Amino acid sequence: YGSEATGTFLRAAELKHGRSAMLATVGYAFHKFGWTLDNISPHEYLTVTEGVKFADLVAMTPLEAMKSIPAEGLTQMFCAIALVELYELTHKNGKYAGFDEGGVAPGLRPGGLTGDLGWNPLGVKITERRRLSELQNGRAAIFAICAWVAADSVQGSVPLNLPW
C-alpha cells in the first residue's frame, strides 16, 4: 500500500471516472436543453418492441428517461463499457500484450492500468499540463453530475433555484 504502482492505479481510476462523469454531464446538459435524438434521428422509436418513442423521453427528466430504457438497451451499454475495460486490461501502449507472466493480463499487474488506451486519432501532443487539465475537468464533472442528480431526485437538496 502506498507504492508508485498504487498511485498509478488510483490516478487511472480517477481519470476513468472523470471521463465517465464528463460524458454524463454533457448528456445530462443536452437533455436539459432539449437537444435530444428525436430532433436528429430518422427513427421515431427508441424501441419498437417496448413502445418507447424519443419524443416520450424528451418530456421526462434525464433520470426518468434513463429509468425508462429497456433492459436490452442497458445490456448494450454494459457490453460497450465491458469491451473498453477488457481492451484496457489486455493492451499496453495501444498494442495487444497477451497474458504473459502466469496468465495475468497486463492491466492486472502492479502499475498496469494507466488510463491511456492508446487512442489519439488527432495526434495531439500529450503534456503534463493536458493530463492535469483532464483530471481537474473530470473532478469538476464528477461534482456537477452528482449535484444534478441530487437536484432532480431529492427536492430541496440544492439550495439554488436553477432555471432548468
Side-chain angles (χ1 to χ4, degrees):
Y1 187 79
S3 69
E4 185 177 338
T6 304
T8 302
F9 171 77
L10 292 175
R11 187 170 180 139
E14 182 180 15
L15 185 62
K16 188 182 299 185
H17 286 91
R19 288 172 178 165
S20 299
M22 286 188 271
L23 283 173
T25 303
V26 168
Y28 209 90
F30 272 39
H31 190 96
K32 282 290 194 182
F33 292 138
W35 303 336
T36 54
L37 290 175
D38 68 322
N39 298 326
I40 61 172
S41 176
H43 308 288
E44 182 180 1
Y45 284 89
L46 171 67
T47 171
V48 177
T49 56
E50 298 288 326
V52 179
K53 293 183 178 181
F54 285 115
D56 297 337
L57 299 179
V58 173
M60 302 176 187
T61 67
L63 283 179
E64 291 170 342
M66 188 67 186
K67 290 177 186 176
S68 68
I69 294 175
E72 292 85 1
L74 295 175
T75 303
Q76 289 174 356
M77 288 183 216
F78 177 81
C79 290
I81 293 167
L83 284 174
V84 173
E85 294 291 331
L86 286 172
Y87 179 88
E88 186 179 14
L89 285 174
T90 58
H91 287 68
K92 192 160 186 91
N93 298 325
K95 297 192 184 339
Y96 180 71
F99 290 92
D100 297 336
E101 298 181 27
V104 177
L108 296 177
R109 293 186 205 122
L113 293 179
T114 61
D116 181 19
L117 298 177
W119 188 67
N120 188 358
L122 298 177
V124 176
K125 184 179 178 196
I126 307 299
T127 62
E128 282 304 311
R129 184 173 184 277
R130 283 190 188 271
R131 290 182 199 274
L132 181 62
S133 294
E134 186 178 15
L135 278 173
Q136 290 173 339
N137 289 334
R139 291 172 186 154
I142 290 169
F143 279 103
I145 196 65
C146 287
W148 279 350
V149 168
D152 267 1
S153 59
V154 181
Q155 294 299 324
S157 63
V158 178
L160 300 175
N161 194 6
L162 301 174
W164 53 76

